[in-house]
Amino acid sequence: MVLIYFLLAILILGGFLLLYMYRQAFGDRVLKHELRFKEFPASFGSVTLFFISDIHKRIISDSVIEEAKEKADLVIIGGDLAEKGVGLDQVSINIEKLKSIAPVFFVWGNNDYEFNSHELDSLLFHSGVKMLDNTAVKFESSSGDTLFILGIDDLSLGKSRLDLAMQDAEPNGFHILVSHNPAIVNRLEPGHNISLVLSGHTHGGQIRILGFGPYELGGIKKKNGTTLMTSNGYGTTTVPLRLGARAETHLITLLPKGN
C-alpha cells in the first residue's frame, strides 16, 4: 500500500512538472531592454526594435503583438521562423501579425531550411519582408547620421558571409548584426565595428536541470568587443516543453550613452 501511494505521488508530481514545463514553453513574455552606447548617434533620439527568434511551430499570440504595437520602430525575426511540418498558411499568419507592428526584417536560421526554402523565400518577398541574407540595410537620421542593420545567413550550415554583409554597409555609423547563431561573435574583429549582436538558436538550453543545460541561458553580455543579446526564443524544438529557460520576445530600445 505504501508503495502504491508513493508511485501515485510520483505520478502526480510528474504531472504538475509537465504542466509547469508546458506553461514555460508557451508563455508570452515581452522583455524590455534599454541599451545605451556612446557611439549611438544622438540625432536618432531612440530606436526601438521588436526582436523575436525561434518561432518554430507557434502562432504568435495577440497579446505579444499588442504589447509591441506603437512601441517598436522595426521588427527583426532572428531565424527559425519555420521548421519541417509547419504549414505555409501558419507562417503567413505570423508574418502578417508582425507586419502590423512595424516593417519586418528577417535572417535565416537552420530550421528554416527544413521548410521549402523557395516557398518561404517567395512568401517573405511577396509579404514585403526584407531578407537580410548576408546583406545590410541603411537608415539615416535628419542630421545625416547612419545606422546599419546587417544580417547573415545561418552560421551552422556554412551559409554565413559576414564579409559580404560588411561590404554592404559603410564603415562609419552604428552597426547592429543579426545572426541566428550567437557563435558569430567569436569571429568578430575590432575592425568590424559591430556595437550590438542579436541572436537566438540556443533556446537558452530549453530544458535546464538544476540550472544546467546544453547551452547558456539567454541574456545580454559583453563579448569580444561587442554587446551580445541571445534570446531564449519564442518556440521550442523536439519537445514542446521548457524548464528554467522561459519563452520570450524582446523590445530593445537603443539610446546614446549619457542621456
Side-chain angles (χ1 to χ4, degrees):
M1 184 64 70
V2 173
L3 179 60
I4 292 175
Y5 282 130
F6 178 73
L7 293 174
L8 183 60
I10 290 177
L11 288 174
I12 293 172
L13 289 173
F16 277 118
L17 178 60
L18 286 175
L19 178 61
Y20 177 76
M21 294 171 71
Y22 183 85
R23 292 185 66 178
Q24 286 211 330
F26 288 90
D28 292 308
R29 294 194 302 162
V30 181
L31 302 184
K32 297 178 176 64
H33 314 274
E34 188 177 282
L35 302 180
R36 294 180 179 269
F37 300 87
K38 63 181 180 181
E39 64 271 26
F40 185 81
S43 60
F44 278 103
S46 66
V47 174
T48 299
L49 311 173
F50 178 70
F51 181 66
I52 184 168
S53 70
D54 303 280
I55 298 170
H56 291 285
K57 294 181 178 179
R58 291 191 68 177
I59 293 179
I60 305 168
S61 75
D62 291 338
S63 65
V64 167
I65 299 300
E66 291 303 316
E67 180 71 16
K69 276 184 179 178
E70 299 182 3
K71 296 176 184 175
D73 300 299
L74 303 170
V75 173
I76 298 177
I77 305 172
D80 284 1
L81 169 63
E83 65 172 45
K84 184 178 180 180
V86 175
L88 195 65
D89 289 345
Q90 180 173 321
V91 178
S92 181
I93 289 171
N94 281 332
I95 290 173
E96 291 305 312
K97 286 190 171 193
L98 292 172
K99 283 174 58 183
S100 72
I101 299 173
V104 181
F105 298 82
F106 167 83
V107 299
W108 291 86
N110 57 305
N111 290 114
D112 291 315
Y113 285 100
E114 296 175 3
F115 197 83
N116 185 316
S117 58
H118 297 294
E119 287 187 357
L120 181 56
D121 185 276
S122 177
L123 174 62
L124 292 167
F125 176 79
H126 290 290
S127 298
V129 174
K130 171 65 175 176
M131 285 177 283
L132 297 175
D133 186 10
N134 298 320
T135 58
V137 62
K138 175 183 178 179
F139 300 90
E140 188 170 340
S141 73
S142 58
S143 299
D145 293 316
T146 53
L147 180 154
F148 294 91
I149 300 179
L150 299 80
I152 58 170
D153 209 329
D154 187 63
L155 180 70
S156 63
L157 296 179
K159 295 177 178 289
S160 64
R161 288 292 304 273
L162 179 59
D163 59 324
L164 295 180
M166 292 300 304
Q167 289 174 22
D168 208 29
E170 297 167 7
N172 296 321
F174 188 82
H175 294 76
I176 302 167
L177 173 63
V178 186
S179 168
H180 179 62
N181 193 323
I184 190 62
V185 76
N186 298 317
R187 302 188 183 185
L188 295 184
E189 301 173 359
H192 287 138
N193 192 27
I194 301 295
S195 297
L196 174 64
V197 177
L198 301 177
S199 63
H201 181 59
T202 65
H203 295 211
Q206 190 164 312
I207 296 177
R208 308 181 66 83
I209 307 299
L210 299 176
F212 295 95
Y215 296 101
E216 288 184 21
L217 191 63
I220 300 172
K221 64 181 181 180
K222 295 282 188 179
K223 187 171 183 182
N224 206 17
T226 191
T227 297
L228 170 65
M229 198 207 82
T230 306
S231 175
N232 287 343
Y234 188 65
T236 57
T237 186
T238 308
V239 293
L241 300 170
R242 286 179 177 268
L243 182 64
R246 295 168 62 190
E248 61 190 26
T249 62
H250 309 267
L251 275 170
I252 306 162
T253 300
L254 308 175
L255 292 159
K257 186 169 283 188
N259 286 7

